[in-house]
Amino acid sequence: MAKITAIIDIGSNSARMAIFEKTSHLGFHLLHETKSKVRISESTYAHNGYLQPAPMERAISALKDFLRIAKSHKARKILCVATSAVRDAPNKSDFLKLARKIGLNIKVISGEQEAYFGALSALNLLPYASGISIDIGGGSTECALIENHKIIDKASLDIGTIRLKELFFDKNDLIGAKDFVQNALYKLPSHFHHKRIFGIGGTARALSKTIQKRIQYPINTLHAFEYDFFAHAEFFRTIYCTKPSELPKLGIKEDRIDSIQGGALIFHLSLLHFGAENVVTSGVGIREGVFLNDLLRNENGHFPPNFNPSVRNLKDRFQKNTAQSNAQKLLAMRLFSTQENLALIPPTYKKHLSISAELCNIGIALNFYEKSYHSDYILLNALSYGLTHQERLLIATLVRYASKKIPESLPYLELLPNLKTLQILSFFVGLSEILSQNENPHDFHFILFSGLNGYTLQITHPSISYLVQEKLKKLTLPSLFSQLALQSLHECNPY
């Protein structure tokens, strides 16, 4: 696969391009993203689906710029797909011919293929194995049922934001729009029913952004943002029932005013139809799905078990001492094992401790001084895929306060485990980092036992270096721990 790949998606409302860079076999990150609201479907519904000259000209102009940008990033592979508006157009061959003249081959994908690509991105880059993906576009809406990391079924419905706008909302026909959407939903198989919904596309993202502002959500990230559907269902209804001039008062941005009402209507009625309770926002969609379809073509369409592409990417880009990083991870896992019989930490946090210990020094790539601060920022903002917001925040916090006292007034505390659990996990990260600097760090062994004043952690190694012993004296112990007992050359030294 090419190291740098550009993916272009020509939708009914916007044309978008994402450029990805591979950093290893399955590691990758987003290099660049851009979009243009070309509205290629403009006036098609009033002209029997025919693409009109002005929208086609806008689209070709945008695509020329996309190609120029892709080449400036040295993209060796450019994949371009077109969806509903082009798919349904009787004169789509005219548009495809114009695109070939500028050096771009466009693949017109079916509705089921469109649903597959959206679902592929959700099941690989969101932290859940099951749910229904829904991607509301300008001309159509794609749904896919996902169970246990497998796409069970796919469907494409001829309901979209621009289609509803031109057919109903421009004529103030809300009842007609509702009936149109309901009739489409009734055609779905009965097994399209799930409590969890993956919201893909511009409508889902716009609604999530507005909800985040309304509830003053503390993390400024959309991908994997979750909310309770019923807590906001009435807000969705308000959006499509109000006058367009009143939408800015609801927090709707100017560029969404002409499409959000149809989108909110489709989203609301679809979630009711699916029996939804929880909505997980997807910051990825068709473009990522097309990229992953290429990347994972020899992996059965999904990443290997326990593989996280963001973790792999950060290691590829920022990790400067692989041997020490591996030692930190090993030591952290041994420390976790020492407390399992005492059940001090719920087993669900083993994964987060492993990632924190392995990546705790990536901030050095920016600046050695305040490395924990830089690592915290990178982890919170770049562990983009496969983790919930709470998980990302936990990993970043453990790294930030490794070897330090965790403030009891920590922001986002309500999104984190209890303070005692945080203290032990961050202590294990800090301890692993210190011990990894010893000669032969793999020879460390640990025993944790309970005493009158708290837990004692016994650390055994053939030869604990002077610098390591000095650093251990400065390490902040969790409130449940009373001391460290170092055993080197058969001499036991309590700290």
Side-chain angles (χ1 to χ4, degrees), residues 130-160:
S130 301
I132 292 176
S133 64
I134 176 170
D135 185 357
I136 301 170
S140 64
T141 292
E142 277 63 47
C143 306
L145 177 62
I146 303 169
E147 292 288 357
N148 194 27
H149 285 294
K150 293 182 180 179
I151 301 172
I152 304 300
D153 200 0
K154 308 174 292 294
S156 179
L157 307 175
D158 289 331
I159 49 176

Side-chain angles (χ1 to χ4, degrees), residues 132 134 143 157 181-194 197 229-230 266-276:
I132 292 176
I134 176 170
C143 306
L157 307 175
V181 173
Q182 293 282 22
N183 289 335
L185 292 170
Y186 288 148
K187 296 176 184 177
L188 287 170
S190 59
H191 58 248
F192 272 83
H193 193 274
H194 207 286
I197 301 299
F229 167 53
F230 292 107
I266 296 170
F267 201 58
H268 186 200
L269 296 183
S270 298
L271 268 57
L272 289 172
H273 183 86
F274 295 144

Side-chain angles (χ1 to χ4, degrees), residues 106-134:
I106 299 174
K107 181 179 180 180
V108 181
I109 59 176
S110 69
E112 286 208 351
Q113 287 176 309
E114 190 177 350
Y116 173 79
F117 289 136
L120 188 68
S121 66
L123 71 86
N124 277 291
L125 302 179
L126 283 171
Y128 298 106
S130 301
I132 292 176
S133 64
I134 176 170

Side-chain angles (χ1 to χ4, degrees), residues 227-238:
Y227 59 88
D228 177 82
F229 167 53
F230 292 107
H232 302 282
E234 191 57 37
F235 174 61
F236 297 161
R237 190 193 311 276
T238 302

Side-chain angles (χ1 to χ4, degrees), residues 360-489:
C360 69
N361 282 327
I362 60 172
I364 293 174
L366 296 184
N367 194 311
F368 180 84
Y369 301 103
E370 297 292 334
K371 62 181 180 181
S372 61
Y373 172 82
H374 298 309
S375 297
D376 171 20
Y377 180 85
I378 292 173
L379 292 170
L380 183 59
N381 290 279
L383 277 178
S384 305
Y385 303 136
L387 297 166
T388 67
H389 283 195
Q390 288 88 342
E391 289 177 318
R392 290 166 65 173
L393 185 59
L394 171 59
I395 292 165
T397 301
L398 296 183
V399 169
R400 176 71 180 273
Y401 294 100
S403 308
K404 301 174 185 177
K405 183 178 180 180
I406 299 176
E408 295 187 15
S409 58
L410 193 66
Y412 324 131
L413 200 58
E414 71 276 6
L415 299 177
L416 294 169
N418 65 68
L419 191 58
K420 289 182 179 178
T421 299
L422 280 177
Q423 287 175 341
I424 298 173
L425 287 169
S426 64
F427 167 66
F428 282 173
V429 174
L431 180 58
S432 300
E433 182 188 2
I434 293 172
L435 297 182
S436 69
Q437 299 169 44
N438 202 91
E439 187 177 12
N440 300 320
H442 294 71
D443 292 338
F444 276 107
H445 294 280
F446 311 103
I447 300 175
L448 183 66
F449 52 90
S450 180
L452 293 176
N453 298 318
Y455 294 98
T456 294
L457 179 63
Q458 180 177 301
I459 303 174
T460 304
H461 189 276
S463 178
I464 302 177
S465 76
Y466 175 79
L467 284 177
V468 166
Q469 293 188 53
E470 193 173 46
K471 290 180 179 180
L472 289 175
K473 294 177 183 178
K474 302 176 182 178
L475 192 61
T476 300
L477 295 177
S479 58
L480 294 178
F481 285 51
S482 60
Q483 65 174 349
L484 298 180
L486 307 185
Q487 188 171 341
S488 178
L489 297 176

